[in-house]
């Protein structure tokens, strides 16, 4: 009997190139009956190809439509972008990025911001609840820049500055580590500064009840004492992350937690009434006022516990509701 290796080399028995290739792969990998495995894979592909076509192709079409809508939204604002670029190259770049994020906010989350007029014209500290991902805060920054032409400096966790390729983005949008001196300097220069006292811990380990995870942090309030007002901004959603992942974060200070979801739920940001500057209160008292203000926003505008399906249904509501 002539084996496949002999037939592939001698040509005595007609053998397809595919059979020879399979034999070579068997010899190279050491896997026997490779042809049977490949036949099984081919069978699975044949069975699941209709499902792949059904789910992937519409997704690709939706992606193209989504990109097209965003490009049209950018084109709609081209004159404003042109004017921005004529004044300052980075101002124009900020307008472009803000337009991109604002387009995504409108389309994917039907994003709304309420109380933007409460943001002070001068310096002020924006305190916000930190969701699992701060995408609602990105949307808020985009709205603030587009509607009021104001940039807001942001205090971020140290790990953000270690992300590869992020330096330019962080520099252009005024993201900083958050030393008190740097924050006070930005405020005294007339800028807005935003911080989430709960930070990454609140993002990862708060739950559907929107519990504020601030601990005893008062540093942000000490900074605000040098400003005129504190504006309060409510977050949109969060997810629970507990157990082993929390232990890893507490030890390594790295957010090694799987992030999932980002469903097209309704996002609304609510700005609370400004807390006036009062030289007669200390940082702990001001921190308590800010915490109570954010808790009030949660109590008024967030149904507890949070529910993804309910939030999805809110996309079809014509008016917002206060509970």
């Amino acid at each position: 009997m002539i084996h496949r290796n002999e037939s592939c080399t001698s040509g005595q028995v007609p053998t397809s190139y595919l059979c020879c290739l399979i034999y070579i792969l068997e010899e190279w990998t050491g896997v026997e009956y490779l042809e049977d495995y490949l036949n099984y894979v081919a069978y699975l592909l044949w069975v699941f190809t209709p499902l792949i076509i059904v789910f992937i192709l519409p997704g690709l079409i939706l992606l193209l439509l989504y990109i097209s809508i965003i490009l049209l939204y950018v084109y709609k604002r081209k004159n404003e972008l042109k004017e921005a670029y004529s004044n300052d190259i980075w101002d124009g770049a900020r307008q472009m990025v803000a337009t991109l994020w604002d387009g995504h906010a409108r389309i994917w989350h039907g994003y709304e911001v309420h109380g933007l007029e409460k943001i002070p014209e001068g310096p002020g500290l924006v305190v916000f609840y930190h969701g699992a991902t701060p995408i609602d805060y990105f949307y808020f920054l985009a709205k603030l820049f587009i509607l009021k032409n104001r940039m807001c400096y942001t205090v971020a966790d140290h790990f953000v500055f270690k992300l590869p390729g992020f330096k330019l983005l962080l520099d252009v949008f005024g993201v900083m580590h958050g030393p008190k001196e740097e924050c006070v300097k930005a405020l005294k220069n007339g800028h807005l500064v935003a911080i989430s006292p709960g930070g990454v811990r609140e993002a990862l380990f708060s739950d559907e009840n929107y519990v504020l995870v601030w601990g005893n942090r008062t540093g942000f309030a000490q900074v605000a004492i040098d400003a005129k007002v504190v504006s309060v901004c409510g977050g949109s959603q969060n997810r629970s992350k507990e157990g082993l992942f929390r232990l890893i974060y507490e030890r390594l200070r790295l957010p090694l937690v799987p992030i999932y979801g980002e469903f097209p739920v309704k996002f609304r940001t609510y700005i609370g009434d400004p807390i006036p500057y009062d030289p007669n209160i200390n940082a702990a008292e001001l921190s308590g006022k800010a915490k109570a203000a954010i808790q009030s926003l949660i109590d008024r505008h967030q149904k507890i516990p949070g529910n993804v399906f309910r939030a999805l249904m809110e996309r079809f509501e014509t008016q917002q509701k206060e509970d």
Side-chain angles (χ1 to χ4, degrees), residues 108-110 237 262-267 307-309 311-312 315:
W108 193 245
H109 290 291
Q237 66 177 8
E262 297 306 333
F263 301 108
V265 298
K266 183 69 177 181
F267 273 4
N307 181 279
V308 173
F309 180 75
L312 285 170
R315 292 297 301 274

Side-chain angles (χ1 to χ4, degrees), residues 67-68 76 93 121 127 153 166 178 192:
I67 293 173
S68 300
K76 182 180 178 181
E121 295 298 327
V127 183
Y153 286 75
F166 267 56
L192 294 170

